[in-house]
Amino acid sequence: MKVASSDGESIKAAINWIKSIASDPEVGHIYEGTVVKVMEFGAFVNFFGAKDGLVHISQLASARVQKTGDVVKEGDKVKVKLLGFDDRGKTRLSMKAVDQTTGEDLEAKGKTEAAPAAE
């Protein structure tokens, strides 16, 4: 398959759209998404084509969050890590596992820093 455009952003958008149709999101991967709904218990984020998932209030930030609206609002662009699926097939996401500026996986970074150096 080939995708062509004079605009680099359009190419990226087209490729992401095609991938969202032809594949499933992968556990452990980081995605960029948009907050589509804010609730007391967390925020729903559209992160993979038409796929939405829940970022529970406990997964919004590393510090305790009193109100979801203190951290995100509808329309915000956020980076999320796919944690997995609950027993009902609902998608579980985390924002606190991802550096919101760089998109770096903070959980993976913490594991590598905590690992002792081999001698």
Side-chain angles (χ1 to χ4, degrees):
M1 166 182 56
K2 292 184 181 181
V3 177
S5 174
S6 59
D7 178 23
E9 287 301 313
S10 296
I11 291 174
K12 287 180 189 176
I15 290 171
N16 288 338
W17 181 70
I18 292 166
K19 284 181 180 178
S20 74
I21 294 170
S23 61
D24 291 321
E26 296 182 40
V27 175
H29 279 250
I30 295 173
Y31 300 94
E32 186 166 331
T34 304
V35 177
V36 292
K37 189 164 189 164
V38 176
M39 307 291 287
E40 287 181 23
F41 53 84
F44 288 96
V45 175
N46 176 268
F47 71 101
F48 192 80
K51 190 106 174 126
D52 290 348
L54 174 67
V55 179
H56 188 268
I57 193 167
S58 65
Q59 292 294 323
L60 287 172
S62 56
R64 180 160 166 56
V65 175
Q66 294 293 333
K67 289 174 39 181
T68 306
D70 292 343
V71 180
V72 293
K73 62 184 183 308
E74 288 184 21
D76 283 355
K77 298 284 186 197
V78 296
K79 293 172 181 63
V80 294
K81 181 175 183 177
L82 177 56
L83 298 177
F85 306 92
D86 69 12
D87 54 353
R88 296 178 302 181
K90 304 286 186 192
T91 306
R92 296 180 317 123
L93 303 171
S94 174
M95 284 174 54
K96 77 177 184 181
V98 183
D99 183 315
Q100 292 300 305
T101 306
T102 64
E104 183 178 17
D105 186 339
L106 297 176
E107 289 180 338
K109 180 181 177 184
K111 288 178 186 173
T112 56
E113 288 179 355
E119 292 183 23

